[in-house]
Amino acid sequence: MEKNPLTLIGTQLVRSDASEKVLGAAKYVDDLHFSDTVYLAIRTAEVASGALRSIDISKARGSHGVLAVLTHADIPGENQMGSPVPDYPILLKPGDEIRYVGDYVAFVVAHTREQALRAAEKVTVMVAEKKPVLSLNERIRELQKGGDYVPAVHQKIRKGDSDPKTMFDSCDYVFEGDFFADYQEHAYLETQGMIALYDQDNVMTIYGSMQCPYYVQNGVARALGFPINRIRIIQSVTGGAFGGKEEVPTYFAIPAALAAYHLHRPVKLVLSREEDIQWTSKRHPIKSRYKVGIADYGRLRSIQVEAHADIGGHSTLSPTVLWRSSVHAAGAYEIPNVRVDVYGHYTNKVPSGAYRGFGSPQVFIGIEGIIDDVADHLKKDRLYLRKINALEKGKTTPTGHLLPESVGAKKTLEEVERLSDWERLKERVAQFNREHKHLKRGVGIAHIHYGVALGAMGHALDASGAFVNVLPDGSISVHIGGTEMGQGAKTVIGAIVGEVLQQPMEKIHVYQTDTFFLPDSGPTVASRTTVFSGNAAVLACQELLKTLTALYSTEMAVPPQSVRYTGGVFSNTEGQKPVGFGELAGIALKKNIGLCATGWFQTPRLTWDPENGFGEAYVTYSFASQIVVVEVDCLTAEVVVKEVYTAHDVGKALNPDGVIGQIHGGFVQGMGYALYENLKVNEKGKIVSDNFNTLTIPTIHETPEIFKVSIVEEPFSKGPFGAKGIGEPSLIPTPAAIANAVSDAIGKRVREIPIRKEYLLDLIRTAP
Amino acid sequence: MPKRALSFVLNGERVEWEVEASDTLLRALRENGLTSVKRGCEEGECGACTVVIDDEAQKSCLVLALEVEGKSVLTTEGLPAAPGKLHPIQQAFVDEGAVQCGFCTPGFIMTTYAFLKAHPNPTDEEIRHALSGNLCRCTGYLSIIKAVKAAAAALSNQSGAAEGGR
């Protein structure tokens, strides 16, 4: 079939769910009501480390309004929610080790949430307390002592000469530096929540706020001891996620499902903000040491990275997150000799987990900081130094992945150079600094790559389905395995379906994700939904077109190869005998021809050597470059981002407004991480800043006034219409770019994010 | 605890409710089906529960339900002039891409509503000041600023003729 010009892809699209959201009609989990609903509260250990001696629930059970108090003995299936590492019991039993303050001891169910909370306080536990390990440094020292301590995670990359004794021999200069990136809280506006219904057919149905319904389905099946076919997960409208609703919602679906199982009543659990911040994963704190060797006037030759991450009390997704850290640690450059070791250490704190960027923003501050050091030492332009080391088609990444196509790295650098008017920008800033004594401006650059989808380590999960059904009136319903969490998945998938079937958006309805309709489509993470759900939708639509073409051919006595489909109308090659899509669909259905199809997309297996950490890490890479201008008040250490210039290679922008929305939002979230969001943990392992009065996230005030975006399109041949991903690359360069800009302003390298005021004042005081 | 009677005007219609003396307006509204009013922090920091009380934007988690006795309360459900017809502010949020996850959106719209009534031709600086009590984690706020400006323009065009919506 011939190619038609694009009518939806790449055009201005109206978000398909925006109207219901502005009208207040969109139903988030807390807006759903079922009669006879009861409410759940969780009693946690409240001690960071120790052994649980005993649990006494008698007082809680007698408390007003209480219907049940559930403990470890009430779990019909496996008392385990840790995956892949089984280190996370659902409910602690006497004798078990307490690993962080939020470990579950009992679930209390009552007629109202207040009654459940009051009763939960009456559960008494006896604990043999131990001194908690709260510092990552303590673990690093243990590892360096060389005893029998084994870190929970160790991921590595080895390329070329990776022997630390020799790999720097051929380098002209060697640069070293230490960096630290702390926690970040997701701070999605809607807290986590679940409703479990144990209703008809002995099926446990769960509605909730989440990114990954299939994770929840598997986790609940394991806890209840049910076959997976008796667990149905329906994602409710989800109020932001950013990775925070990847593995974590399972930990709230399980309590709700257990209670619904025992009580045969709908059970609701919606967290308060404080509970949400105390009990849900954070971005990993990562300490890194960089050593970089340079030859040939600025070419990167060798890099050694040793990084240590605080994974908290349970390992959850840490092995996968830290694998991504290892792949991205050496940066978006061509480097022949690479040695990366990323370790994950248990501490007695909240588990670290998935957060937009997935372990990469923390390491990009290292490589991007060092690159500036190199440029400054060699008296070369910082942008130029990145350009001469940037990846290109035919070059290999730091893991040894030969890139055959879709490498817009250099173009993104050229685009930020153009957008910012680079040479003039540097002059403008220098001029400002000559005219101001205490206010200093600085320019920062960051250049990144991002492996799209789950990559070699997540290959087993990297497939997705879509189901497209054409109804008798010509309307089209679409089910996908990926989820809408605010990023615009429904709109972009609707546009893909509309484009392939040549039908307007109004005729297409993309449903909330429901595990009932499609096989396990993996998680909605890793900027993979446009590519994976999108390709699956394309495949399903192509099936439908095949069926319709065959039908038209029979009905109109036109040979199949002469059927034309353009502008939503079937005809012969001369454009005669026109029949519209809707009309032909009506004919098909009258003739009992089914017009539904399933598409299933998977990527080819990547060649990866896990022993040596070498090979094709991800199916493709998105690239980005960013320049920011900050202003530092050297007396108060106040930092304001004044200007942003950012360029992103997304393969193809299917919904350009949506892409720009991701870029704006990702930037401001990354800016919050770099400058404002201090998550404090006290000496008892509890988070102090557990609401927005103490945890400061950016407001509209902090949003930069000058913000220019360039979208670079280097098509990815296996992406739908050439698309790659943007969800995470929107955030990843920002912390590094801001850290570099602040460094530039004060004349001293910033080595920590968030850049706390006390830290920055110290740097300013000791600056040359 | 005995319930107390509460009478006020909600989205243009008089309502008579029974509430607990300790109920916040946020709770009372949500329990009566006005689910656009979102619970984000319950301490007045996030703005997701913002409603307009007698022309002033207020965080309903910080107001006791009984305090609105005799007053007029407006939520985003009450803005359309006719069912399904978006109010110019709602339309601007849709058109300018100011909606992503949507959880903060009703609160932003109500803050904008009260703000534009008092400042029909706002500057960027005034917009930033007025909306600084509402948090959004998705959009980075740039599209929200554009939406407020577009709404201001649409409303001032409209006010030349008759007042549309409310």
Side-chain angles (χ1 to χ4, degrees), chain A residues 212-246:
Chain A
C212 306
Y214 300 94
Y215 281 7
V216 177
Q217 187 183 33
N218 291 322
V220 171
R222 184 183 185 190
L224 293 183
F226 278 22
I228 297 171
N229 67 4
R230 281 175 49 211
I231 309 289
R232 178 181 183 184
I233 311 296
I234 304 168
Q235 183 217 15
S236 46
V237 176
T238 293
F242 318 116
K245 293 172 183 170
E246 177 171 357

Side-chain angles (χ1 to χ4, degrees), chain A residues 353-372:
Chain A
Y355 193 144
R356 197 179 200 174
F358 214 67
S360 74
Q362 300 100 308
V363 288
F364 274 114
I365 62 162
I367 180 67
E368 289 302 293
I370 288 264
I371 293 278
D372 274 6

Side-chain angles (χ1 to χ4, degrees), chain A residues 34 61 141 426 568 663 689 713 716:
Chain A
F34 298 91
R61 196 169 260 164
R141 278 196 299 274
K426 285 190 292 182
I663 291 170
S689 39
E713 295 183 322
F716 166 45

